Each structure stands twice: as structure tokens, then as C-alpha cells.
Coordinates of all heavy atoms in Angstrom, one line a residue:
M286 N 0.8 -1.2 0.0 CA 0.0 0.1 0.0 C 0.8 1.3 0.0 O 0.6 2.2 -0.7 CB -0.9 -0.1 1.2 CG -1.8 1.2 1.4 SD -2.9 1.4 0.1 CE -3.8 2.8 0.6
L287 N 1.9 1.2 0.8 CA 2.8 2.4 0.9 C 3.5 2.6 -0.4 O 3.9 3.8 -0.8 CB 3.8 2.4 2.1 CG 3.1 2.6 3.4 CD1 4.1 2.5 4.5 CD2 2.5 4.1 3.5
D288 N 3.9 1.6 -1.1 CA 4.5 1.7 -2.4 C 3.6 2.6 -3.4 O 4.1 3.3 -4.1 CB 4.7 0.3 -3.0 CG 5.8 -0.5 -2.2 OD1 6.6 0.1 -1.6 OD2 5.9 -1.7 -2.4
K289 N 2.3 2.3 -3.3 CA 1.4 3.1 -4.1 C 1.4 4.6 -3.7 O 1.3 5.4 -4.5 CB 0.0 2.5 -4.0 CG -0.1 1.1 -4.7 CD -1.6 0.6 -4.6 CE -1.8 -0.7 -5.2 NZ -3.1 -1.2 -5.2
V290 N 1.5 4.8 -2.4 CA 1.5 6.2 -1.9 C 2.8 6.9 -2.4 O 2.7 8.0 -2.9 CB 1.4 6.2 -0.4 CG1 1.6 7.6 0.1 CG2 0.0 5.7 0.1
F291 N 3.9 6.2 -2.3 CA 5.1 6.8 -2.7 C 5.2 7.0 -4.2 O 5.7 8.0 -4.7 CB 6.3 5.9 -2.2 CG 6.6 6.0 -0.8 CD1 7.1 4.9 -0.1 CD2 6.5 7.2 -0.1 CE1 7.3 5.0 1.3 CE2 6.8 7.3 1.2 CZ 7.2 6.2 1.9
A292 N 4.7 6.0 -5.0 CA 4.6 6.2 -6.4 C 3.7 7.4 -6.8 O 4.1 8.1 -7.7 CB 4.1 4.8 -7.0
K293 N 2.6 7.5 -6.1 CA 1.7 8.7 -6.4 C 2.4 10.0 -6.1 O 2.3 11.0 -6.8 CB 0.5 8.5 -5.7 CG -0.6 9.5 -6.0 CD -1.1 9.3 -7.4 CE -2.4 10.2 -7.6 NZ -2.8 10.1 -9.0
L294 N 3.2 10.0 -4.9 CA 3.9 11.2 -4.6 C 4.9 11.6 -5.7 O 5.1 12.7 -6.1 CB 4.5 11.1 -3.3 CG 3.6 11.2 -2.0 CD1 4.3 10.8 -0.8 CD2 3.0 12.6 -1.9
E295 N 5.7 10.6 -6.1 CA 6.7 10.7 -7.1 C 6.2 11.2 -8.4 O 6.7 12.1 -9.1 CB 7.6 9.5 -7.3 CG 8.5 9.2 -6.2 CD 9.6 10.4 -6.0 OE1 10.1 10.9 -6.9 OE2 9.8 10.7 -4.8
A296 N 5.0 10.6 -8.8 CA 4.3 11.0 -10.1 C 3.9 12.5 -10.0 O 4.1 13.2 -10.9 CB 3.2 10.1 -10.4
E297 N 3.4 12.9 -8.9 CA 2.9 14.2 -8.7 C 4.1 15.2 -8.7 O 4.1 16.3 -9.3 CB 2.1 14.4 -7.4 CG 1.4 15.8 -7.2 CD 0.4 16.1 -8.4 OE1 0.0 15.2 -9.1 OE2 0.0 17.3 -8.5
K298 N 5.2 14.8 -8.1 CA 6.4 15.7 -8.1 C 6.9 15.8 -9.5 O 7.2 16.9 -9.9 CB 7.5 15.0 -7.2 CG 7.3 15.2 -5.7 CD 8.4 14.5 -4.9 CE 9.8 14.7 -5.4 NZ 10.8 14.0 -4.7
T299 N 6.9 14.8 -10.3 CA 7.3 14.8 -11.7 C 6.5 15.7 -12.5 O 7.0 16.6 -13.3 CB 7.4 13.4 -12.3 OG1 8.3 12.7 -11.5 CG2 7.8 13.5 -13.7
R300 N 5.1 15.6 -12.3 CA 4.1 16.4 -13.0 C 4.4 17.9 -12.7 O 4.4 18.8 -13.6 CB 2.7 16.1 -12.7 CG 1.7 16.8 -13.5 CD 0.3 16.4 -13.1 NE -0.1 16.9 -11.8 CZ -0.4 18.2 -11.6 NH1 -0.5 19.0 -12.6 NH2 -0.8 18.6 -10.4
M301 N 4.6 18.2 -11.4 CA 4.8 19.7 -11.0 C 6.1 20.2 -11.5 O 6.2 21.3 -12.0 CB 4.8 19.8 -9.5 CG 3.4 19.5 -8.8 SD 2.2 20.5 -9.5 CE 2.5 22.1 -8.6
A302 N 7.2 19.3 -11.5 CA 8.5 19.8 -12.1 C 8.4 20.0 -13.5 O 8.9 21.1 -14.1 CB 9.5 18.8 -11.8
L303 N 7.7 19.2 -14.3 CA 7.5 19.4 -15.7 C 6.7 20.6 -16.1 O 7.0 21.4 -17.0 CB 6.9 18.1 -16.4 CG 7.8 16.9 -16.4 CD1 7.0 15.7 -17.0 CD2 9.0 17.1 -17.3
E304 N 5.7 20.9 -15.3 CA 4.9 22.1 -15.4 C 5.8 23.3 -15.2 O 5.6 24.3 -15.9 CB 3.7 22.1 -14.5 CG 2.5 21.2 -15.0 CD 1.3 21.3 -14.1 OE1 1.3 22.2 -13.2 OE2 0.4 20.5 -14.2
A305 N 6.6 23.3 -14.2 CA 7.4 24.4 -13.8 C 8.4 24.8 -14.9 O 8.5 26.0 -15.3 CB 8.2 24.2 -12.5
V306 N 9.0 23.8 -15.5 CA 9.9 24.1 -16.5 C 9.3 24.4 -17.9 O 10.0 24.9 -18.8 CB 11.0 23.0 -16.7 CG1 11.8 22.8 -15.4 CG2 10.4 21.7 -17.1
S307 N 8.1 24.0 -18.1 CA 7.4 24.3 -19.4 C 6.7 25.6 -19.4 O 6.1 26.0 -20.5 CB 6.4 23.2 -19.7 OG 5.3 23.2 -18.8
L308 N 6.6 26.3 -18.3 CA 6.0 27.7 -18.4 C 6.7 28.6 -19.3 O 7.9 28.7 -19.3 CB 5.9 28.3 -16.9 CG 5.0 27.6 -15.9 CD1 5.2 28.3 -14.6 CD2 3.6 27.7 -16.3
K309 N 5.9 29.4 -20.0 CA 6.5 30.4 -20.9 C 5.9 31.7 -20.5 O 4.8 31.8 -20.0 CB 6.0 30.1 -22.3 CG 6.3 28.7 -22.8 CD 7.6 28.7 -23.6 CE 7.9 27.3 -24.3 NZ 8.2 26.2 -23.4
P310 N 6.7 32.7 -20.7 CA 6.3 34.1 -20.4 C 4.9 34.4 -21.1 O 4.7 34.1 -22.3 CB 7.3 35.0 -20.8 CG 8.6 34.1 -20.9 CD 8.1 32.8 -21.2
G311 N 4.0 35.0 -20.5 CA 2.7 35.3 -21.0 C 1.6 34.2 -20.9 O 0.5 34.4 -21.3
E312 N 2.0 33.0 -20.5 CA 1.1 31.9 -20.3 C 0.7 31.9 -18.8 O 1.3 31.2 -18.0 CB 1.7 30.5 -20.7 CG 1.9 30.4 -22.1 CD 2.5 29.0 -22.5 OE1 2.6 28.2 -21.5 OE2 2.9 28.8 -23.6
G313 N -0.3 32.5 -18.5 CA -0.8 32.5 -17.1 C -0.5 33.8 -16.4 O -0.3 34.8 -17.0
K314 N -0.4 33.7 -15.1 CA -0.2 34.9 -14.3 C 1.3 35.3 -14.4 O 1.9 35.2 -15.4 CB -0.6 34.6 -12.9 CG -2.0 34.3 -12.7 CD -2.3 33.8 -11.3 CE -3.8 33.3 -11.2 NZ -4.1 32.6 -10.0
D315 N 1.8 35.7 -13.3 CA 3.3 36.1 -13.2 C 4.1 34.8 -13.2 O 3.9 33.9 -12.4 CB 3.5 36.9 -11.9 CG 5.0 37.2 -11.7 OD1 5.7 37.4 -12.7 OD2 5.3 37.3 -10.5
I316 N 5.0 34.7 -14.2 CA 5.8 33.4 -14.3 C 6.7 33.1 -13.1 O 6.8 32.0 -12.7 CB 6.7 33.4 -15.6 CG1 7.1 32.0 -15.9 CG2 7.8 34.4 -15.5 CD1 7.7 31.8 -17.3
G317 N 7.1 34.1 -12.4 CA 7.9 33.9 -11.2 C 7.1 33.4 -10.1 O 7.5 32.4 -9.4
F318 N 5.8 33.9 -10.0 CA 5.0 33.3 -9.0 C 4.6 31.9 -9.3 O 4.6 31.0 -8.4 CB 3.6 34.1 -8.9 CG 2.6 33.6 -8.0 CD1 2.7 33.7 -6.6 CD2 1.5 32.8 -8.6 CE1 1.7 33.2 -5.8 CE2 0.6 32.2 -7.7 CZ 0.7 32.4 -6.4
E319 N 4.3 31.6 -10.6 CA 3.8 30.3 -10.9 C 4.9 29.3 -10.7 O 4.7 28.2 -10.2 CB 3.4 30.2 -12.3 CG 2.1 31.0 -12.6 CD 0.9 30.4 -11.9 OE1 0.8 29.2 -11.8 OE2 0.0 31.1 -11.5
Y320 N 6.2 29.7 -11.1 CA 7.3 28.8 -10.8 C 7.6 28.5 -9.4 O 7.8 27.4 -9.0 CB 8.6 29.4 -11.5 CG 9.8 28.5 -11.4 CD1 9.9 27.4 -12.3 CD2 10.7 28.7 -10.4 CE1 11.0 26.6 -12.1 CE2 11.9 27.9 -10.3 CZ 12.0 26.9 -11.2 OH 13.1 26.0 -11.0
G321 N 7.5 29.6 -8.6 CA 7.7 29.5 -7.1 C 6.6 28.6 -6.5 O 6.9 27.8 -5.6
Y322 N 5.4 28.8 -7.0 CA 4.3 28.0 -6.5 C 4.6 26.5 -6.7 O 4.5 25.6 -5.8 CB 3.0 28.4 -7.2 CG 1.9 27.4 -6.9 CD1 1.2 27.4 -5.6 CD2 1.5 26.5 -7.9 CE1 0.2 26.5 -5.4 CE2 0.5 25.6 -7.7 CZ -0.2 25.6 -6.4 OH -1.2 24.7 -6.2
R323 N 4.9 26.2 -7.9 CA 5.2 24.8 -8.3 C 6.4 24.2 -7.5 O 6.5 23.1 -7.1 CB 5.3 24.6 -9.8 CG 4.0 24.7 -10.5 CD 4.0 24.8 -11.9 NE 2.8 24.8 -12.6 CZ 1.9 25.7 -12.6 NH1 2.1 26.8 -11.9 NH2 0.7 25.6 -13.2
Q324 N 7.4 25.0 -7.4 CA 8.6 24.7 -6.6 C 8.3 24.3 -5.2 O 8.7 23.4 -4.6 CB 9.6 25.8 -6.7 CG 11.0 25.4 -6.2 CD 12.0 26.5 -6.4 OE1 11.6 27.7 -6.4 NE2 13.2 26.2 -6.5
G325 N 7.3 25.1 -4.6 CA 6.9 25.0 -3.3 C 6.1 23.6 -3.1 O 6.2 22.9 -2.1
V326 N 5.2 23.4 -4.0 CA 4.4 22.2 -4.0 C 5.4 20.9 -4.1 O 5.2 19.9 -3.4 CB 3.4 22.1 -5.1 CG1 2.7 20.7 -5.2 CG2 2.3 23.2 -4.8
Y327 N 6.3 21.0 -5.0 CA 7.3 19.9 -5.3 C 8.0 19.7 -3.9 O 8.2 18.5 -3.5 CB 8.3 20.3 -6.3 CG 9.3 19.3 -6.7 CD1 9.1 18.3 -7.7 CD2 10.5 19.2 -5.9 CE1 10.0 17.4 -7.9 CE2 11.4 18.3 -6.2 CZ 11.2 17.3 -7.3 OH 12.1 16.3 -7.6
A328 N 8.5 20.7 -3.3 CA 9.3 20.6 -2.0 C 8.4 20.0 -0.9 O 8.8 19.1 -0.1 CB 9.8 21.9 -1.5
G329 N 7.1 20.4 -0.9 CA 6.1 19.9 0.1 C 5.8 18.4 -0.1 O 5.8 17.6 0.9
L330 N 5.7 18.0 -1.3 CA 5.5 16.5 -1.6 C 6.7 15.8 -1.2 O 6.6 14.7 -0.7 CB 5.2 16.3 -3.1 CG 3.9 16.8 -3.6 CD1 3.8 16.9 -5.1 CD2 2.7 16.1 -3.0
D331 N 7.9 16.3 -1.5 CA 9.2 15.6 -1.1 C 9.2 15.5 0.4 O 9.6 14.5 1.0 CB 10.4 16.3 -1.6 CG 11.7 15.5 -1.5 OD1 11.6 14.3 -1.9 OD2 12.6 16.1 -1.0
R332 N 8.9 16.5 1.2 CA 8.9 16.6 2.6 C 7.9 15.6 3.1 O 8.2 14.9 4.1 CB 8.6 18.0 3.2 CG 8.7 18.1 4.6 CD 10.1 17.9 5.1 NE 10.1 18.0 6.6 CZ 10.8 17.2 7.4 NH1 11.5 16.3 6.9 NH2 10.7 17.4 8.7
A333 N 6.7 15.5 2.6 CA 5.7 14.5 3.0 C 6.3 13.1 2.9 O 6.1 12.3 3.8 CB 4.5 14.6 2.1
K334 N 7.0 12.8 1.8 CA 7.6 11.5 1.6 C 8.6 11.3 2.7 O 8.7 10.1 3.2 CB 8.2 11.4 0.2 CG 8.7 10.0 -0.1 CD 9.3 10.0 -1.5 CE 10.1 8.7 -1.7 NZ 10.8 8.7 -2.9
Q335 N 9.4 12.3 2.9 CA 10.5 12.1 4.0 C 9.9 11.8 5.4 O 10.3 10.9 6.1 CB 11.3 13.3 4.0 CG 12.2 13.6 2.9 CD 12.9 14.9 2.9 OE1 12.7 15.7 3.9 NE2 13.6 15.2 1.9
L336 N 8.8 12.5 5.7 CA 8.1 12.3 7.0 C 7.5 10.9 7.1 O 7.7 10.3 8.2 CB 7.1 13.4 7.2 CG 7.6 14.8 7.4 CD1 6.4 15.8 7.4 CD2 8.3 14.9 8.7
I337 N 6.9 10.4 6.1 CA 6.3 9.0 6.1 C 7.5 8.1 6.2 O 7.3 7.2 7.1 CB 5.5 8.8 4.8 CG1 4.3 9.7 4.7 CG2 5.2 7.3 4.7 CD1 3.6 9.7 3.4
E338 N 8.6 8.2 5.5 CA 9.7 7.3 5.7 C 10.2 7.3 7.1 O 10.5 6.3 7.6 CB 10.8 7.6 4.7 CG 10.4 7.3 3.2 CD 11.4 7.8 2.2 OE1 12.2 8.8 2.5 OE2 11.4 7.3 1.1
Q339 N 10.3 8.5 7.7 CA 10.8 8.6 9.1 C 10.0 7.9 10.0 O 10.3 7.3 11.0 CB 11.1 10.1 9.5 CG 11.8 10.3 10.8 CD 13.1 9.6 10.8 OE1 14.0 9.8 9.9 NE2 13.5 8.8 11.8
L340 N 8.7 8.2 9.9 CA 7.7 7.5 10.7 C 7.7 6.0 10.6 O 7.7 5.3 11.7 CB 6.2 7.9 10.4 CG 5.8 9.3 10.7 CD1 4.5 9.8 10.1 CD2 5.7 9.5 12.3
L341 N 7.9 5.5 9.5 CA 8.1 4.0 9.3 C 9.4 3.5 10.0 O 9.3 2.5 10.6 CB 8.1 3.7 7.8 CG 6.7 3.9 7.1 CD1 6.9 3.7 5.6 CD2 5.7 3.0 7.6
K342 N 10.4 4.3 9.8 CA 11.7 3.9 10.4 C 11.5 3.9 12.0 O 12.0 3.0 12.6 CB 12.8 4.8 10.0 CG 13.3 4.6 8.6 CD 14.4 5.5 8.3 CE 14.8 5.5 6.8 NZ 15.8 6.5 6.4
D343 N 10.9 4.9 12.5 CA 10.7 5.0 13.9 C 9.9 3.9 14.4 O 10.1 3.3 15.5 CB 10.0 6.4 14.3 CG 11.0 7.5 14.1 OD1 12.2 7.3 13.9 OD2 10.5 8.7 14.2
Q344 N 8.8 3.5 13.7 CA 7.9 2.5 14.1 C 8.7 1.1 14.1 O 8.6 0.3 15.0 CB 6.7 2.4 13.2 CG 5.7 1.3 13.6 CD 5.1 1.6 15.0 OE1 4.7 2.7 15.2 NE2 5.0 0.6 15.8
D345 N 9.5 0.9 13.0 CA 10.3 -0.3 13.0 C 11.3 -0.4 14.1 O 11.5 -1.5 14.7 CB 11.1 -0.4 11.6 CG 10.2 -0.7 10.4 OD1 9.0 -1.1 10.7 OD2 10.6 -0.5 9.3
K346 N 11.8 0.7 14.5 CA 12.8 0.7 15.6 C 12.1 0.4 16.9 O 12.6 -0.4 17.7 CB 13.5 2.1 15.7 CG 14.5 2.1 16.7 CD 15.2 3.6 16.8 CE 16.2 3.6 17.9 NZ 16.8 5.0 17.9
R347 N 11.0 1.0 17.1 CA 10.2 0.7 18.3 C 9.7 -0.8 18.4 O 9.8 -1.5 19.4 CB 8.9 1.5 18.4 CG 9.2 3.0 18.9 CD 8.0 3.7 19.3 NE 7.0 3.9 18.2 CZ 7.1 4.9 17.4 NH1 8.0 5.9 17.5 NH2 6.3 5.0 16.3
D348 N 9.4 -1.3 17.2 CA 8.9 -2.7 17.2 C 10.0 -3.7 17.4 O 9.8 -4.7 18.1 CB 8.3 -3.0 15.8 CG 7.0 -2.4 15.5 OD1 6.4 -1.9 16.6 OD2 6.5 -2.3 14.4
S349 N 11.2 -3.4 17.0 CA 12.4 -4.2 17.2 C 12.9 -4.1 18.6 O 13.6 -5.1 19.0 CB 13.5 -3.9 16.2 OG 14.1 -2.6 16.5
E350 N 12.6 -3.1 19.4 CA 13.0 -3.0 20.8 C 12.1 -3.7 21.7 O 12.5 -3.9 22.8 CB 13.1 -1.4 21.1 CG 14.2 -0.7 20.4 CD 14.2 0.8 20.7 OE1 13.2 1.3 21.4 OE2 15.2 1.4 20.3
L351 N 11.0 -4.1 21.2 CA 10.0 -4.8 22.1 C 10.4 -6.2 22.4 O 11.0 -6.9 22.0 CB 8.7 -4.8 21.5 CG 8.0 -3.4 21.4 CD1 6.6 -3.6 20.7 CD2 7.8 -2.8 22.8

């Protein structure tokens, strides 16, 4: 199940990265804002993945100490 969650997070990160680099001036609002927005979402998805991985490691550590 978690493999599916991680795959979905990675797919969304890839989509956001591709959108960020494909923005052209005049397409949408302020290109700087749009790029920054996508960069922030990308970083947030990466951070979510890191937190999930850390929670799993902590749980495994607690389970092994029992």
C-alpha cells in the first residue's frame, strides 16, 4: 500500500516539475509566482515522503526494541 502512496507522490512531483519548466512568459499569471508555487508544492511533496519514511523507520525501531 505504501508503495502506491510513494509512487503517487513521485508522479505528482514529476508532473509539478515538468509544469514548472514548461511555463512560458505570457502563459498564465506572473511566471515567477507560478514557478515558485510549483517549486513549493514539489518541496512539500518531497517533505511529506520524508516524513512518512521517518515515521516508518521510527515504528520499525520501536517494534524491534520490544
Side-chain angles (χ1 to χ4, degrees):
M286 174 65 177
L287 284 175
D288 290 340
K289 290 181 181 180
V290 172
F291 286 142
K293 186 69 172 173
L294 286 171
E295 285 299 320
E297 187 64 14
K298 282 175 50 181
T299 300
R300 186 182 73 78
M301 293 303 286
L303 291 173
E304 281 183 9
V306 297
S307 67
L308 289 174
K309 306 264 188 287
E312 289 183 6
K314 302 174 187 168
D315 175 29
I316 195 167
F318 172 82
E319 292 295 327
Y320 183 80
Y322 168 78
R323 283 167 176 74
Q324 190 177 27
V326 171
Y327 183 93
L330 291 168
D331 193 51
R332 182 66 178 139
K334 184 179 173 189
Q335 291 171 1
L336 290 171
I337 292 168
E338 289 172 337
Q339 187 61 49
L340 286 170
L341 293 173
K342 286 179 188 175
D343 291 348
Q344 185 64 45
D345 287 344
K346 184 178 176 182
R347 282 193 296 272
D348 290 347
S349 68
E350 291 175 351
L351 293 178

